[in-house]
Amino acid sequence: MINYKALGLVNTREMFKKAMEGGYAVPAYNFNNMEQLQAIISACVETKSPVILQVSKGARNYANKTLLRYMAEGAVQYSKELGYQIPIALHLDHGDSFELCKDSIDMGFSSVMIDGSHLPYEENVAITRKVVEYAHQFDVTVEGELGVLAGIEDEVSAEKSTYTRPEEVEDFVSKTGVDSLAISIGTSHGANKFKPEMCTRNEEGILIPPPLRFDILEEVEKRLPGFPIVLHGSSSVPQHLVKTINKYGGNLKDAIGIPEEQLRKAAKSAVCKINIDSDGRLAMTAAIRKYLAEHPDVFDPRKYLGPAREALKELYKHKNINVLGSAGKA
Ligand code: G3H
Ligand code: 13P
Ligand code: ZN
């Protein structure tokens, strides 16, 4: 049993309290490899932003759970070495069982999500309560979820979304004791969040997706004053990245994300954590495709992973400064 505090990590309680008071959101970026972790930490140190490092079940399967845990421990030292100690939480993203949450807590995670959103309400309450009871013994914070997000990823998939029912949130939070709540207000996982026919076009012909359901968010805020809310599926799917990918041999169709203004607005509300993974995947893929297309003779991975890491870092800095408002808050 390793306690996260011994690793220099923090849980999300203090982070969210400050984010709520300061009207910004803490970035939650997923990582699966060293270049992603380097980009996240260097971007957050340079912008003096707190950060939540997210590890999904898919990431554990891909990279090995022990290796990822040691990498997060290394991230704390790396931050110091870069000259500024930012608050870093290590979070299990979309935990789907008590055992997975317990295993993560036991190996040094400071925060876990138990995602029972696809379960019948009472089962979601029961499994979430069980995780909270275990986690709180070690001062590990827990994120629960009500409402289902659409989208398909390696380990997260749902065909149809169901908005969060505000009338359930008080009961869920009081019965489970969760520290934060992910809600479904129109975001979704992956790079194809909206079908083109769901969107309108502006004067320049750019597709504008339907707005998020801020009315649901406001109703949740009224029922849970001062309680930290989480938004999953919050990539913006920058069109210049999609164009670069497609220009250099990719074939991404109808890739549409959440407009940045919508996320800026959400970050000023009770939304204290915004999850972004797909945009990082797009940034890396665009940079690698471009580099390899322009340098067909290169076979040293550092040569193409280096620019990909740099592109990722710039993307994260932009999010912290211009979208989430977390820059300067560490
Ligand atoms: O919400 C899911 C995250 O983007 C993680 O995706 O399960 O493919 O690692 P993954
Ligand atoms: P995106 O697919 O929009 O990046 O969402 C990531 C996420 O919600 C991770 O939990
Ligand atoms: Zn998610």
Side-chain angles (χ1 to χ4, degrees):
M1 171 88 206
I2 302 139
N3 190 283
Y4 67 88
K5 291 176 188 172
L7 310 180
L9 298 163
V10 298
N11 69 20
T12 57
R13 198 168 292 123
E14 192 65 19
M15 281 185 178
F16 289 168
K17 190 169 172 281
K18 288 185 177 157
M20 185 74 77
E21 288 162 5
Y24 63 92
V26 179
Y29 298 133
N30 291 69
F31 82 103
N32 302 260
N33 64 40
M34 184 187 73
E35 283 77 10
Q36 288 172 321
L37 186 61
Q38 289 172 318
I40 296 168
I41 297 301
S42 57
C44 291
V45 167
E46 279 181 31
T47 56
K48 292 194 164 49
S49 170
V51 69
I52 297 167
L53 297 173
Q54 296 201 133
V55 172
S56 69
K57 189 173 167 182
R60 283 170 48 119
N61 293 342
Y62 171 78
N64 178 280
K65 60 179 187 174
T66 309
L67 212 42
L68 288 175
R69 203 281 283 165
Y70 278 102
M71 284 167 74
E73 185 178 351
V76 175
Q77 300 310 319
Y78 182 46
S79 161
K80 277 187 206 159
E81 208 176 292
L82 292 175
Y84 197 79
Q85 173 80 76
I86 54 167
I88 302 174
L90 178 61
H91 175 79
L92 172 69
D93 192 24
H94 293 284
D96 62 356
S97 66
F98 171 77
E99 291 69 29
L100 177 57
C101 292
K102 180 183 180 299
D103 188 55
S104 301
I105 293 166
D106 291 352
M107 70 187 311
F109 279 56
S110 61
S111 176
V112 293
M113 175 190 195
I114 174 69
D115 183 356
S117 58
H118 55 287
L119 298 171
Y121 181 77
E122 289 306 334
E123 284 177 41
N124 188 2
V125 168
I127 191 168
T128 306
R129 173 80 230 152
K130 192 173 172 190
V131 171
V132 168
E133 274 167 9
Y134 186 76
H136 281 184
Q137 294 175 69
F138 309 102
D139 204 19
V140 167
T141 41
V142 180
E143 175 184 321
E145 178 160 354
L146 276 177
V148 179
L149 269 70
I152 299 168
E153 304 271 312
D154 285 357
E155 302 283 343
V156 187
S157 106
E159 246 175 58
K160 272 186 151 183
S161 73
T162 322
Y163 294 123
T164 302
R165 290 157 47 88
E167 55 276 24
E168 285 179 350
V169 299
E170 291 150 285
D171 186 69
F172 185 79
V173 167
S174 69
K175 280 190 180 148
T176 59
V178 280
D179 302 281
S180 60
L181 182 68
I183 62 169
S184 171
I185 57 165
T187 63
S188 68
H189 290 110
N192 294 80
K193 301 192 190 293
F194 305 98
K195 295 211 168 76
E197 51 271 29
M198 295 163 75
C199 305
T200 52
R201 276 187 198 277
N202 69 7
E203 310 83 67
E204 291 134 45
I206 293 167
L207 287 172
I208 310 293
L212 298 180
R213 290 288 305 271
F214 282 98
D215 56 318
I216 298 177
L217 174 59
E218 277 166 27
E219 195 53 41
V220 170
E221 284 181 288
K222 263 189 220 150
R223 289 167 187 262
L224 295 172
F227 191 80
I229 301 300
V230 176
L231 279 193
H232 281 248
S234 298
S235 279
S236 295
V237 188
Q239 291 303 299
H240 70 278
L241 297 177
V242 175
K243 276 197 189 123
T244 303
I245 289 171
N246 288 345
K247 180 176 171 188
Y248 293 104
N251 185 19
L252 297 182
K253 288 202 181 91
D254 300 336
I256 304 169
I258 312 294
E260 290 184 346
E261 315 83 69
Q262 301 265 305
L263 298 168
R264 248 176 242 126
K265 184 174 167 187
K268 292 196 176 99
S269 73
V271 170
C272 291
K273 172 176 180 268
I274 291 189
N275 286 12
I276 295 165
D277 187 2
S278 297
D279 282 354
R281 297 178 180 193
L282 292 168
M284 281 198 98
T285 302
I288 291 171
R289 278 195 179 277
K290 182 171 188 290
Y291 188 92
L292 289 178
E294 290 172 349
H295 304 85
D297 55 325
V298 168
F299 61 94
D300 177 346
R302 293 172 298 185
K303 292 276 188 338
Y304 52 86
L305 290 177
R309 181 175 62 191
E310 203 48 39
L312 204 44
K313 178 177 163 185
E314 288 311 310
L315 175 96
Y316 293 138
K317 284 173 73 170
H318 165 71
K319 303 263 182 206
N320 295 351
I321 297 168
N322 302 313
V323 185
L324 281 70
S326 63
K329 307 293 185 186

